[in-house]
Amino acid sequence: MTINKKINIAIDGFSSCGKGTLAKQLAKSLHYLFIDTGAMYRAVTLSLIENQINIDEIQSIERLLPSLDISFVNKPEINSYKTTLNGRDVEEDIRSMEVSNLVSPVSKISAVRAFLVDQQRKLGLSKGVVMDGRDIGTVVFPDAELKIFMTAKPEIRAQRRLDELKRNGDELVTFDEVLLNLNSRDFQDSSRSNSPLKPAIDAKIIDNSFLTRDQQFHMALEWALEKIN
Ligand code: DC
């Protein structure tokens, strides 16, 4: 009997590139665990907003972090996962524009990164994880067997994100507002000194501006199976 080995898959890339969609498809077909690390930075950001802690109040942030339990709960009925913060479903709240506008500055804070990277590494210890974010292939799992870096034209990403926000009931948000937020986050995420967004040297690049979800999924699945078998 052949026992296929388990690998870790790191998916990094710009905001709203469909990293989550691809990561979920891969995790489902390989029976792996999917971890959305952006949701973890968003959950910390939401908690700072709710506790009225400013991003320069480092001591208060350091005190808050150990009290945060960020988890992912499988929701098979919607074929997806929900992010919970101390047991509360925060999946919708963490996707709001208020959180989106603050999450990049929050993710620059060293204490926040150290706290979350430590949790992310523990989740990957036994392998069999598909993790998406900005620094997974470069910092969290530099030895991941498969690293993918995703990109797409900003206008295409903004339209996809706008459609998603509208589907979730946000009627007021505009294309320009979403595009501005994406461009600003891309700039902040790529130019920060601590774990900037960049492809790992051995990452496979996917520009999905003109690829369907199915095309990119089959491409990535083939890469994964090559590493597993
Ligand atoms: O994937 P996302 O757009 O939901 O991520 C939200 C923000 O979190 C993103 O603008 C940068 C930050 N982030 C990060 O710094 N490192 C990660 N591994 C994941 C996200």
Side-chain angles (χ1 to χ4, degrees):
M1 190 176 76
T2 331
I3 298 177
N4 290 333
K5 71 169 197 253
K6 280 194 171 182
I7 63 168
N8 279 340
I9 303 178
I11 303 185
D12 292 302
F14 291 99
S15 301
S16 298
C17 264
K19 300 185 294 292
T21 303
L22 177 62
K24 275 183 206 165
Q25 286 174 307
L26 286 173
K28 189 165 181 236
S29 63
L30 298 169
H31 303 285
Y32 279 16
L33 184 65
F34 160 63
I35 306 289
D36 172 2
T37 63
M40 299 171 88
Y41 287 91
R42 286 172 180 273
V44 171
T45 305
L46 178 68
S47 187
L48 293 182
I49 294 170
E50 290 180 342
N51 287 285
Q52 298 179 347
I53 299 174
N54 210 295
I55 55 167
D56 53 15
E57 294 176 291
I58 299 298
Q59 285 187 344
S60 305
I61 296 174
E62 284 173 349
R63 259 198 309 275
L64 177 79
L65 288 171
S67 73
L68 302 183
D69 170 20
I70 303 166
S71 306
F72 298 97
V73 179
N74 205 353
K75 295 257 167 131
E77 68 279 13
I78 54 164
N79 188 21
S80 193
Y81 307 76
K82 292 282 171 197
T83 310
T84 62
L85 175 61
N86 295 339
R88 174 167 62 108
D89 180 349
V90 291
E91 190 57 40
E92 266 188 35
D93 293 351
I94 61 170
R95 310 285 164 196
S96 69
M97 283 308 287
E98 190 187 8
V99 169
S100 294
N101 284 329
L102 197 65
V103 65
S104 281
V106 169
S107 62
K108 274 189 208 165
I109 301 168
S110 298
V112 172
R113 297 209 76 82
F115 174 73
L116 293 180
V117 167
D118 183 53
Q119 297 195 356
Q120 291 155 10
R121 287 195 176 134
K122 285 184 184 136
L123 289 164
L125 277 180
S126 5
K127 303 264 178 184
V129 164
V130 186
M131 194 171 276
D132 89 64
R134 303 292 187 290
D135 59 342
I136 311 305
T138 50
V139 174
V140 180
F141 298 140
D143 56 354
E145 288 81 353
L146 175 60
K147 299 173 190 173
I148 297 175
F149 189 89
M150 293 176 68
T151 180
K153 291 186 191 306
E155 291 74 14
I156 291 180
R157 292 190 273 133
Q159 188 59 51
R160 289 176 185 158
R161 182 88 188 103
L162 181 70
D163 293 344
E164 187 186 350
L165 286 165
K166 296 238 149 129
R167 265 198 310 276
N168 290 341
D170 193 338
E171 290 300 330
L172 298 175
V173 68
T174 65
F175 176 83
D176 289 346
E177 197 183 348
V178 174
L179 183 62
L180 190 70
N181 172 264
L182 289 192
N183 284 334
S184 149
R185 282 201 289 138
D186 288 350
F187 175 73
Q188 294 183 68
D189 297 345
S190 328
S191 60
R192 68 178 176 224
S193 55
N194 190 348
S195 312
L197 166 66
K198 62 173 183 199
I201 208 152
D202 50 349
K204 294 187 180 285
I205 311 284
I206 295 182
D207 180 336
N208 66 14
S209 302
F210 305 107
L211 288 181
T212 64
R213 285 179 179 192
D214 259 14
Q215 285 171 323
Q216 76 174 9
F217 168 58
H218 288 295
M219 193 190 282
L221 183 62
E222 214 162 284
W223 291 334
L225 294 175
E226 276 167 19
K227 299 284 181 185
I228 292 168
N229 293 316

